[in-house]
């Protein structure tokens, strides 16, 4: 088990406070922590994004800097903010299909790295999660939460032990930093060879993503919550199976082989995978609109937060992003 992220949530923003929290995060030296992050509250409608950029006080820390609603007139300015640094992330809360066109227009303007740091959250309200880019600090006091990399623990039936170890570390960090520890997003998320796609294939006994995999994803989600209950941890955020194609070696390979298509990937999100994430899709505004509207319909039925990260493909079979490597373009059927 590794800590994928220690994410601090700030209740209100000013430069001195952000600098203080960044220093507290940097004081944490445990080697099993992969990233340190700071998530800002919903972006004040009266603040300019350039003022927020002044609060990025440490380039070694990742910032969920911008969280705006779909009707926000500053949506078109998000690209400029994302282009200011590779540690800057942004999200938009989508609650109405009336604003899908504007969001699609933004996605088609983004470069691959920018697109990997922009997320659409389909939900009734902003989400308190350590997972970027759809993280918003909806908190009354400064606090923090954890996300994990523990796919191998699941494979070895040691998820409970992994969660207990992470929870114990969370309490140690609370005592060291003075930030309130509020729990773990227990989502099962991959990184490279530590593959959720491989786990789904192993549990289902099938390599080609087809009938039965939706059930397998649902079973993994039930196991997640059973493990959390046994470990006595507080799940927050998504707390579901995640299928970010660009972060998962097996999923990427199946997309390249065309045995995992867009329709199949989208259908698995109906069974409580957290959303359509880190996937290369040919640039087509009408297609993007239909994907987002389909996702809105799925979220309406699921009644769970649903995140989307689309990486526009402009004719490439693979899209290169420095932070992630090559991300395949998925077959649209």
């Amino acid at each position: 088990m590794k800590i994928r992220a220690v994410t601090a949530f700030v209740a209100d923003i000013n430069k001195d406070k952000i600098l203080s929290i960044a220093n507290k995060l940097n004081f944490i030296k445990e080697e099993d922590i992969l990233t340190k992050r700071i998530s800002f509250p919903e972006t004040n409608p009266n603040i300019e994004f350039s003022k927020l950029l002044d609060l990025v006080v440490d380039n070694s820390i990742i910032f969920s800097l911008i969280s705006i609603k779909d009707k926000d007139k500053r949506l078109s300015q998000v690209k400029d903010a994302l282009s200011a640094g590779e540690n800057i992330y942004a999200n938009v809360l989508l609650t109405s299909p009336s604003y899908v066109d504007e969001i699609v227009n933004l996605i088609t303007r983004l470069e691959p790295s920018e697109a990997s740091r922009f997320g659409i959250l389909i939900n009734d309200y902003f989400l308190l999660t350590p997972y970027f880019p759809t993280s918003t600090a909806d908190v009354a006091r400064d606090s923090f939460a954890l996300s994990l990399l523990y796919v191998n623990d699941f494979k070895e039936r040691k998820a409970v032990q992994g969660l207990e170890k992470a929870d114990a570390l969370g309490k140690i960090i609370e005592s060291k930093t003075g930030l309130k520890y509020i729990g773990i997003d227990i989502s099962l998320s991959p990184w490279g060879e530590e593959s959720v796609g491989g786990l789904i294939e192993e549990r289902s006994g099938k390599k080609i993503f087809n009938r039965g995999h939706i059930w397998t994803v649902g079973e993994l989600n039930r196991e997640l919550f059973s493990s959390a209950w046994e470990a006595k941890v507080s799940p927050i955020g998504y707390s579901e199976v995640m299928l970010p194609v660009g972060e998962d070696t097996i999923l990427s390979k199946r997309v390249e082989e065309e045995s995992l298509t867009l329709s199949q990937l989208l259908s698995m999100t109906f069974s409580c995978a957290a959303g359509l994430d880190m996937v290369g899709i040919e640039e087509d505004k009408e297609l993007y609109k239909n994907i987002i509207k389909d996702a809105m319909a799925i979220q309406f039925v699921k009644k769970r937060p649903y995140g989307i990260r689309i990486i526009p493909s402009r004719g490439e079979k693979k899209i290169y992003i420095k932070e992630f490597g090559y991300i395949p373009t998925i077959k649209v059927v």
Side-chain angles (χ1 to χ4, degrees):
M1 185 279 300
K2 292 185 182 296
I3 305 297
R4 189 180 180 108
V6 177
T7 301
F9 304 105
V10 292
D12 55 87
I13 53 172
N14 65 70
K15 197 159 190 173
D16 288 342
K17 175 192 276 193
I18 302 304
L19 186 58
S20 172
I21 289 177
N23 289 336
K24 288 178 179 180
L25 292 178
N26 285 327
F27 180 72
I28 304 165
K29 300 298 182 183
E30 280 75 5
E31 24 178 82
D32 282 342
I33 296 173
L34 302 180
T35 62
K36 297 170 184 177
R37 310 178 177 195
I38 296 177
S39 183
F40 282 20
E42 177 186 351
T43 307
N44 186 309
N46 299 315
I47 195 169
E48 295 178 9
F49 291 164
S50 59
K51 299 294 184 184
L52 291 177
L53 291 170
D54 290 339
L55 301 176
V56 179
V57 295
D58 188 328
N59 288 332
S60 70
I61 289 174
I62 302 171
F63 289 82
S64 182
L65 199 71
I66 296 168
S67 296
I68 58 175
K69 292 176 179 171
D70 47 14
K71 61 185 179 182
D72 197 303
K73 300 298 184 185
R74 297 169 296 176
L75 182 65
S76 61
Q77 301 170 28
V78 168
K79 175 179 169 58
D80 291 336
L82 291 171
S83 69
E86 293 176 353
N87 61 333
I88 295 167
Y89 287 67
N91 68 82
V92 59
L93 176 65
L94 176 60
T95 60
S96 167
S98 303
Y99 302 100
V100 170
D101 284 10
E102 288 86 347
I103 292 172
V104 167
N105 286 338
L106 170 61
I107 293 172
T108 56
R109 292 173 50 226
L110 297 177
E111 295 302 318
S113 175
E114 296 163 354
S116 75
R117 293 180 280 112
F118 172 72
I120 304 164
L121 176 67
I122 303 172
N123 203 27
D124 295 328
Y125 40 83
F126 290 103
L127 189 62
L128 184 67
T129 176
Y131 279 100
F132 285 20
T134 53
S135 172
T136 307
D138 184 16
V139 289
R141 60 171 284 191
D142 299 335
S143 51
F144 77 95
L146 307 176
S147 60
L148 310 182
L149 179 59
Y150 67 134
V151 178
N152 289 341
D153 297 79
F154 252 73
K155 287 184 177 180
E156 297 168 9
R157 307 288 180 172
K158 294 178 181 177
V160 174
Q161 295 94 314
L163 287 166
E164 288 174 339
K165 181 181 176 183
D167 195 52
L169 180 57
K171 292 168 183 173
I172 291 170
I173 293 172
E174 180 178 53
S175 67
K176 286 183 176 180
T177 63
L179 297 171
K180 181 178 174 57
Y181 170 50
I182 58 175
I184 302 173
D185 189 321
I186 64 168
S187 291
L188 195 63
S189 65
W191 187 254
E193 297 291 337
E194 194 159 343
S195 165
V196 173
L199 178 60
I200 292 170
E201 291 183 348
E202 182 182 297
R203 292 290 182 91
S204 67
K206 302 173 185 176
K207 282 196 173 181
I208 296 176
F209 282 78
N210 209 323
R211 301 291 176 246
H213 283 94
I214 296 174
W215 171 262
T216 302
V217 171
E219 284 289 286
L220 288 173
N221 275 312
R222 283 185 280 277
E223 189 176 328
L224 275 173
F225 273 94
S226 175
S227 299
W229 179 84
E230 190 174 341
K232 298 181 174 60
V233 304
S234 302
I236 69 165
Y238 288 104
S239 287
E240 294 185 306
V241 172
M242 290 186 164
L243 302 174
V245 171
E247 299 176 19
D248 188 306
T249 299
I250 296 296
L251 291 177
S252 292
K253 186 176 181 181
R254 300 297 175 249
V255 167
E256 288 182 61
E257 297 169 348
E258 298 186 352
S259 62
L260 175 58
T261 66
L262 180 60
S263 296
Q264 291 164 337
L265 185 62
L266 196 61
S267 71
M268 282 193 288
T269 70
F270 214 114
S271 182
C272 295
L276 193 67
D277 192 17
M278 280 300 289
V279 57
I281 304 176
E282 64 183 60
E283 189 177 273
D284 180 325
K285 287 188 177 182
E286 198 59 34
L287 173 63
Y288 287 5
K289 291 174 193 176
N290 289 331
I291 289 170
I292 294 169
K293 287 178 180 177
D294 283 352
M296 293 185 79
I298 293 172
Q299 190 277 335
F300 180 78
V301 173
K302 284 177 57 177
K303 302 299 182 188
R304 295 281 294 158
Y306 192 109
I308 298 176
R309 259 190 304 181
I310 292 173
I311 314 298
S313 170
R314 287 137 186 152
E316 318 99 312
K317 290 189 176 180
K318 292 183 181 181
I319 308 157
Y320 180 73
I321 301 176
K322 186 174 73 173
E323 301 91 330
F324 300 97
Y326 286 97
I327 298 172
T329 301
I330 200 164
K331 185 178 181 181
V332 180
V333 291

